[in-house]
Amino acid sequence: MTKSIPELRLQELGLKLPVPPKPVANYTAFKKAGPLLFLSGQVPYDADGVALKGTLGKDVSVEEGYACARVCALQLIAVAKLAVGDLSKLSVTNVRGMVNATPDFADHPHVVNGASDLFVDVFGDAGRHARSAFGAGSLPSNVVVEVEAIFELLE
């Protein structure tokens, strides 16, 4: 079986798709609705499956937050592959990034760029998307960031 262009780009970046985390409550990891694929929010885990915790503006740097958002995007790509099989059949439409931050933190967009940059690196122009990046007083399990996405099915 031939690899799709997004899968080749992942390989060129030295990235391997993780096993998609299972939902921890009463929801699904993805839902198809017409030509759209809605992906539930993903939080960052390290290689051992431990949630990456902390607060921007307190104990996490922008660079660390960026890396965490990138992990979330990689997990979203893994969920999208699970949903449709072939990543070349997808275009990233919308991304929402929620950053666990102190009230005075103002660099939310730079943190969420970790996800946006990875989507463009993997999908090229099909990775360009509309986006929201905002702060949250807290996130589940005190994780650094949560990222959700909507993809368009190109079939």
Side-chain angles (χ1 to χ4, degrees), residues 71-115:
V71 168
C72 293
L74 189 62
Q75 291 172 193
L76 286 164
I77 294 168
V79 172
K81 182 166 177 59
L82 176 70
V84 301
D86 183 356
L87 293 174
S88 67
K89 295 180 180 180
L90 296 171
S91 174
V92 184
T93 303
N94 187 268
V95 171
R96 294 175 80 189
M98 295 146 277
V99 179
N100 189 358
T102 60
D104 62 338
F105 183 77
D107 287 332
H108 309 89
H110 294 102
V111 171
V112 180
N113 279 346

Side-chain angles (χ1 to χ4, degrees), residues 15-96:
L15 298 173
K16 187 174 181 181
L17 290 178
V19 174
K22 293 187 191 284
V24 297
N26 191 16
Y27 63 92
T28 61
F30 63 88
K31 174 106 177 157
K32 291 180 189 175
L36 299 178
L37 176 65
F38 292 81
L39 302 178
S40 294
Q42 293 291 318
V43 300
Y45 293 98
D46 68 13
D48 296 323
V50 176
L52 300 170
K53 300 178 180 192
T55 306
L56 276 289
K58 179 180 172 189
D59 54 6
V60 176
S61 71
V62 171
E63 294 77 19
E64 291 167 324
Y66 178 100
C68 287
R70 189 173 168 90
V71 168
C72 293
L74 189 62
Q75 291 172 193
L76 286 164
I77 294 168
V79 172
K81 182 166 177 59
L82 176 70
V84 301
D86 183 356
L87 293 174
S88 67
K89 295 180 180 180
L90 296 171
S91 174
V92 184
T93 303
N94 187 268
V95 171
R96 294 175 80 189

